[in-house]
Amino acid sequence: MSPIPITLTRHIIQTQAAHPGATGEFSSLMAQIGLVGKMIASDLRRAGLINILGTTGATNVQGETVKKLDEISNDAFLKVFQYSGLVCALASEEMEKPVQLPENWPHGKYMLLFDPLDGSSNTDVNMPLGTIFSILKHDGKGLPLESELIRKGTQQVAAGYVMYGSSTMLVFTAGRGVHGFTLDPGIGEYYLSHENIQIPAKGQVYAANEGNTQKWPDGARKFLDYLKTKDKQTGRPYSARYSGCLVADVHRVLLGGGLYLYPAEVDKPEGKLRLLYEANPLAMVVEQAGGKASTGTMRILDVEPKSLHQRVPLLIGSKNDVALAEDFILGRK
Ligand code: FDP
């Protein structure tokens, strides 16, 4: 008989058993994130058939066009969490302010920040998409203020993503390694498929929007030229792989090595990606797998955020590749 596969729930309960003080709240929270992932995956699978492709006609807090699927995915989080009693704060990349949770309702100690649908330019063309989440703990009583959600990445207690590709995967860390679970759609259960993921120290792949290189500072441009230059000893040229979905591109480098970069631009030094909803959670995952995440000049997880929707440049992946990118950006190469 083949061994019993480890489900997401069993994995979390086993890990929890190693922590005698654990209340089970975290296990429930993760199970519900898994449920949101299933709801979104189910909509994405049928998207072309049920009139949910295209835009809503609205613009979000980031000034970006809202896709119908952005809204549907955001709603999935609200449906599952608003009255769950599992969180005391909810903040979404799609919403200007944190969600108002009912005062006279039970609430847990965790604060959940999420990007419901990452890579939304991929929705209408059947390409990969993702969901990113970051979990913080509120130590005080009652419901936290917005300012209490604006924390450094080092304060995350857990983080991860769901990737909607040829299969649906949930990858997360609670600070003790990174584990990947694949959804068996036939029975609606996530099974442990990638235990203790370790990112290679160096890869041979880069993911970047090369159409933007003319907007990049010299250091970042030189770095890309370096990666494309032939050199057998250092495994160059690297291959380019850019899907337009951060989750999918980071997932590729997490498993195979290399790096994803969305650097600062000369006229946009703050970069594009959101610190609290995208960079911090992915940085926690990648660091836990032995990789590195940087703004180009400092560790992502040490950036002191000032606002909920703050943007940040991001270089993330294999530790040697990211360190080398920093050397170029800082003018050391
Ligand atoms: P998108 O705007 O389509 O949601 O989150 C931002 C993100 O996608 C990432 O997933 C992706 O890597 C990047 O932005 C794509 O930006 P460009 O279109 O500028 O390449």
Side-chain angles (χ1 to χ4, degrees), residues 64 67 70 93-94 115 117-123 128-130 132 207-212 215 242-250 260-262 265 268 272-274 278 282 311:
E64 298 159 344
K67 294 279 178 80
D70 283 323
E93 189 198 286
E94 289 296 322
D115 174 0
L117 199 63
D118 167 64
S120 22
S121 74
N122 284 357
T123 52
L129 289 145
I132 313 176
N209 184 342
E210 282 212 65
N212 287 337
K215 304 185 211 166
Y242 189 68
S243 71
C245 170
L246 171 66
V247 166
D249 290 325
V250 168
Y260 170 100
L261 58 159
Y262 209 111
E265 291 175 4
K268 213 165 131 197
K272 171 179 183 185
L273 303 171
R274 271 48 63 134
E278 298 177 312
L282 294 179
R311 293 173 191 264

Side-chain angles (χ1 to χ4, degrees), residues 3 37 53 56 92 137 145 147 151 165-166 176 210 218 249 254 285:
L53 296 178
T56 62
S92 164
K137 200 153 117 201
L145 301 170
S147 56
R151 297 203 194 163
S166 48
R176 289 174 296 275
E210 282 212 65
D218 282 352
D249 290 325
L254 184 70
V285 169

Side-chain angles (χ1 to χ4, degrees), residues 4-20 22 24 26-27 172 176 179 181 192 195:
I4 304 168
I6 299 179
T7 63
L8 173 64
T9 318
R10 183 176 146 198
H11 184 267
I12 298 168
I13 289 172
Q14 272 175 0
T15 323
Q16 188 188 314
H19 297 265
F26 180 73
S27 313
F172 82 100
R176 289 174 296 275
H179 307 291
F181 299 80
L192 180 62
E195 192 172 11

